[in-house]
Structures are given as C-alpha cells and as structure tokens.
Amino acid sequence: MGVKVIDRTALILHIFARKARTHEGKLQVELAQHQYLLPRLIGQWSHLERLGGGIGTRGPGESQLETDRRLIHKRINLLQHKIESVRKQRELYRKRRKETGTLIVALVGYTNAGKSTLFNTLSKASVDVEDRLFSTLDPVTRRLALPTGQQFLITDTVGFIHKLPPSIIAAFRATLEELDEADLLLHIVDITHKNAANQCLTVEKILSELNLENKPKITVFNKLDLALSSEAELKALTTIPYFEEEIVLPNESIALISAAKGWGMDKLLDKIAGHLWGQIRHVNYYT
C-alpha cells in the first residue's frame, strides 16, 4: 500500500507518547513501548538473515537481533528501576496523607467521558481539555474545600478503553495504585454516547481486574447538556435517558451532571460528602 501500517496497541502507545508531559508519564510510556517492541524484533532484521557468514558463524541478521534484544532488555530494566523509585515516592506521599487523615476522590472512566472537564469545574483548575482520546495521561491532584470546611483531594486519571493492552496496565502500575488508595471513585460516563452501556461495563471490568470492584463508587452520568436544554429539565428527570437499562432515580450512588455547563454540581458534591463522611448533607458549592 506504500504506507506505514501499525496495530491497535502501537497506535495507543503513539498517542500516549505524544500526550506524556511529566517525567513519570514519559518513563511509563517508554517502558510500555519497549515491552511492546521486544517480542516483535524477530522480523526487524529478516532482510539480513539471507546474508549468512561461513560455516559455524552467525549471520549479521542474527547478531544484530541479539544486540537489539540486549539493549532493549537493558533499557527496560533501567526504566523499571526508575519507575519503582517513583512508586516508592508516591507510597511515601500516600503514607503522609493517611497520617493527616486526608480523604481522596479519584475520577475514572472511559476515555473522552469528560473527566478533565469535571475536574476543572470542581477544582477551578486548568487541565487541558480536548474532544479526543487520552487527552489526559498524567494524573493531576488538587485540594477541594467545601463551604462547610471539609476538605478532600480530587485526582484526575488516565482514561480507560476497551481491551486496554496489558503492557500499558503494567507500565502504569505506579499511577493506577493511586486508585487503590482513593476513598471514593467517581465513575464518569458519557451518557450521550451510543455505546455508553458498553463503555460503562468496560470500565467496571478494568476496575475488577485491578481488584477495585468493592471500592465505594458514584456513577456520574455526564454531558446531559447534549440531551437536555436546561438544568431545570435535568432536575425534573426521574429516570436516566439514552441508556439501555432503565435506572430509577434518586439513587445516592448515581449523579446526573453536565460538567461543561456546571449542572448538578451541588448535588454531586452532596453525594461525595455523604460517601466520605457517612452522612448526606446539603452542600451548595456556589455559596
């Protein structure tokens, strides 16, 4: 065809490499790239295998293959050592947070579900928001203070995707450990997407693979501004539209919002406070 052909995993890694900004993110992406490349080196030097040397000697293709394998193994070991140092540093931070009793809320969800938009709306941060896959790669954490004086940390994480390559999950272990330490997960769902139900199940499956299925969680149905004309219509809902299964409201583990418009933020924070402190209070975020 005269064009470069790559598979799905290589495409995801390419996007990740473009999005990585922090030192940790770059380390994790490079590790995943090398782990992906290692078993595929066998075909890289096939054009030299026919140039074999004399009897009892190795051809240049084989020697180049072995050299590349050795170099990649060496690089992978170095990257794993650096990432392990990052993981230990994160572990110290988490230990300090536990000692101070700081509560943590982590945003999870399918890629492009609106996690970063919600993060910006709640924390008044300026995380990059784009209508594309994996616009957020490096986790970002901010402290959020409620009018009642209660405080917690909120963390934006990388978006999930169907059949997330194991090499990526392994490389991002240090980052994903943040989810394990969270006191509450907010599972953000793009309710207007035609495959919203399947995307929701995909995220739940990945959480289960990470042994997080029993973690306290609020399912947040986002982008209602694309289906409704006003926040008044949102407040009048008794069931969730555009979903394959009918989910009856109210439910303290479900929230309906528009992160882009700021709809439903007060009720969402009310539910977060209820989960974190064991009781539901009316918290008006905008007063």
Side-chain angles (χ1 to χ4, degrees):
M1 295 175 60
V3 295
K4 183 178 180 179
V5 179
I6 60 176
D7 63 12
R8 181 175 180 272
T9 300
L11 176 61
I12 293 175
L13 290 173
H14 176 70
I15 296 173
F16 271 41
R18 292 180 58 187
K19 294 295 181 181
R21 294 291 183 269
T22 66
H23 177 62
E24 178 187 357
K26 292 176 180 178
L27 287 175
Q28 292 173 136
V29 172
E30 186 180 353
L31 175 59
Q33 288 176 322
H34 280 82
Q35 291 175 329
Y36 167 81
L37 178 61
L38 184 60
R40 293 166 176 80
L41 283 175
I42 192 66
Q44 298 293 319
W45 303 100
S46 58
H47 63 291
L48 295 177
E49 290 176 352
R50 294 187 295 274
L51 304 177
I55 297 176
T57 63
R58 297 175 179 175
E62 183 180 2
S63 61
Q64 183 63 59
L65 178 62
E66 291 178 346
T67 299
D68 284 355
R69 280 176 172 167
R70 184 173 65 255
L71 291 174
I72 289 181
H73 273 298
K74 184 177 180 180
R75 185 60 181 172
I76 286 176
N77 290 335
L78 177 61
L79 290 169
Q80 288 176 333
H81 176 73
K82 290 182 176 180
I83 291 176
E84 182 63 19
S85 297
V86 172
R87 191 192 69 80
K88 290 181 179 179
Q89 190 175 23
R90 282 184 175 275
E91 191 173 345
L92 287 176
Y93 289 149
R94 289 195 293 265
K95 184 178 179 181
R96 291 172 186 169
R97 290 199 298 253
K98 284 185 178 180
E99 291 175 350
T100 59
T102 304
L103 299 175
I104 304 170
V105 175
L107 305 181
V108 298
Y110 208 84
T111 183
N112 206 34
K115 296 184 303 301
S116 295
T117 302
L118 176 59
F119 182 85
N120 287 341
T121 300
L122 290 176
S123 65
K124 310 303 181 184
S126 56
V127 174
D128 290 339
V129 175
E130 300 179 74
D131 186 16
R132 61 177 63 186
L133 303 181
F134 306 116
S135 63
T136 299
L137 179 58
D138 304 307
V140 182
T141 301
R142 295 288 187 273
R143 182 177 295 275
L144 186 62
L146 300 176
T148 57
Q150 297 163 326
Q151 295 186 350
F152 61 91
L153 296 179
I154 185 167
T155 300
D156 188 15
T157 60
V158 64
F160 295 153
I161 194 170
H162 182 55
K163 295 183 179 178
L164 192 65
S167 60
I168 293 179
I169 295 178
F172 281 76
R173 179 174 63 94
T175 298
L176 294 175
E177 283 180 353
E178 290 292 307
L179 299 179
D180 187 49
E181 294 297 322
D183 298 283
L184 176 66
L185 300 180
L186 297 187
H187 176 186
I188 316 303
V189 180
D190 177 1
I191 193 60
T192 64
H193 196 284
K194 62 180 181 180
N195 293 322
N198 290 333
Q199 291 182 354
C200 187
L201 291 175
T202 295
V203 173
E204 294 293 341
K205 181 180 179 182
I206 295 175
L207 291 176
S208 179
E209 292 172 353
L210 296 172
N211 297 318
L212 298 173
E213 66 272 21
N214 295 323
K215 181 75 66 174
K217 180 173 75 277
I218 297 175
T219 302
V220 182
F221 294 99
N222 188 28
K223 302 189 180 182
L224 266 297
D225 58 296
L226 300 180
L228 306 173
S229 59
S230 68
E231 188 173 10
E233 291 186 21
L234 176 64
K235 294 179 179 179
L237 287 179
T238 57
T239 60
I240 298 176
Y242 309 106
F243 213 66
E244 293 180 0
E245 297 180 5
E246 181 176 313
I247 303 177
V248 180
L249 301 176
N251 187 320
E252 296 305 334
S253 296
I254 294 175
L256 302 182
I257 70 164
S258 165
K261 298 288 188 179
W263 297 352
M265 293 298 106
D266 53 346
K267 288 187 178 181
L268 174 59
L269 287 168
D270 194 27
K271 293 175 185 291
I272 291 174
H275 277 75
L276 292 181
W277 287 281
Q279 56 182 325
I280 301 299
R281 304 181 182 92
H282 179 70
V283 179
N284 190 340
Y285 181 63
Y286 297 102
T287 59

